[in-house]
Amino acid sequence: TLSVAAYAAVLFVTAGVLLGILGGMVRRLSAPVAAVSGIGVALPVFVTIQVLVAVFAVNLGWFPVLGAGDGGLDRLRHLTLPALTLALGWSAYIAQVTRSAVGEQRRAPHVETARGRGLDSGWVFRHHILRNAAIPIVTVSALAVAGMFAGAVVVEYAFGLGGLGSLLVSSVSSKDYN
């Protein structure tokens, strides 16, 4: 469970923040990023599992569907589809929050003042926009990591991974509620 969650966290934070920054900084990409992230948030995990398995495991044959792998690169290859499944919804959510925070900071008076003083745009982005937008991004990312463990139950059971999710499903099915 921890390896899938850690892998998914790296994926969704990276993808979500990059997509959100792109949507927040490039005005004409704001609406498409909002649409894509809205679809990503709305997709349930079990639908995402079916689509990813159909495309990447059955049609393309890139990733295995069952098991956790033996070690090293084989384990990484086996955990890619489960981690991607967990990461898609959360990365869309992080992208929405990032797009909103970056867009709000981009229009802030202190950013306009910094640009008016002739400061380098990269410096303004790092020190004024991204630094202030990081507060909601980090908060939502931490909450997403905590919430990801609930989705791990479905993902572990669907991909045949042994973990806390599989133990939870088997204990509930055997009426071991304690």
Side-chain angles (χ1 to χ4, degrees), residues 23-44:
M25 291 302 290
V26 181
R27 207 170 280 164
R28 69 172 194 254
L29 293 179
S30 182
V33 167
V36 167
S37 61
I39 291 169
V41 168
L43 277 177

Side-chain angles (χ1 to χ4, degrees), residues 4 7-8 11 48-58 61-67 75-88 155 159 161:
V4 172
Y7 191 8
L11 290 176
T48 306
I49 291 170
Q50 298 299 319
V51 170
L52 290 178
V53 166
V55 172
F56 292 110
V58 176
W62 289 353
F63 300 107
V65 178
L66 295 173
R75 183 164 179 84
L76 189 67
R77 188 169 165 259
H78 275 78
L79 293 180
T80 298
L81 275 183
L84 193 58
T85 302
L86 278 175
L88 278 176
V155 170
F159 286 103
L161 302 174

Side-chain angles (χ1 to χ4, degrees), residues 5 9 12 90 139-152:
F12 83 72
W90 289 110
T139 303
V140 169
S141 297
L143 292 172
V145 169
M148 192 172 27
F149 286 100

Side-chain angles (χ1 to χ4, degrees), residues 6-169:
Y7 191 8
V10 168
L11 290 176
F12 83 72
V13 168
T14 305
V17 169
L18 289 177
L19 190 64
I21 287 173
L22 192 65
M25 291 302 290
V26 181
R27 207 170 280 164
R28 69 172 194 254
L29 293 179
S30 182
V33 167
V36 167
S37 61
I39 291 169
V41 168
L43 277 177
V45 174
F46 61 88
V47 173
T48 306
I49 291 170
Q50 298 299 319
V51 170
L52 290 178
V53 166
V55 172
F56 292 110
V58 176
N59 289 342
L60 297 174
W62 289 353
F63 300 107
V65 178
L66 295 173
D70 292 330
L73 291 177
D74 187 46
R75 183 164 179 84
L76 189 67
R77 188 169 165 259
H78 275 78
L79 293 180
T80 298
L81 275 183
L84 193 58
T85 302
L86 278 175
L88 278 176
W90 289 110
S91 65
Y93 185 57
I94 299 294
Q96 284 182 341
V97 170
T98 304
R99 183 185 62 82
S100 174
V102 167
E104 182 179 323
Q105 290 301 318
R106 185 173 50 87
R107 293 182 297 274
H110 68 279
V111 173
E112 296 297 327
T113 302
R115 285 190 184 131
R117 289 178 52 204
L119 295 176
D120 180 48
S121 61
W123 193 90
V124 171
F125 173 72
R126 284 189 310 276
H127 288 85
H128 289 288
I129 296 173
L130 197 57
R131 184 177 289 175
N132 291 328
I135 297 168
I137 296 167
V138 170
T139 303
V140 169
S141 297
L143 292 172
V145 169
M148 192 172 27
F149 286 100
V153 172
V154 176
V155 170
E156 285 180 2
Y157 190 73
F159 286 103
L161 302 174
L164 293 175
S166 300
L167 290 174
L168 180 66
V169 170

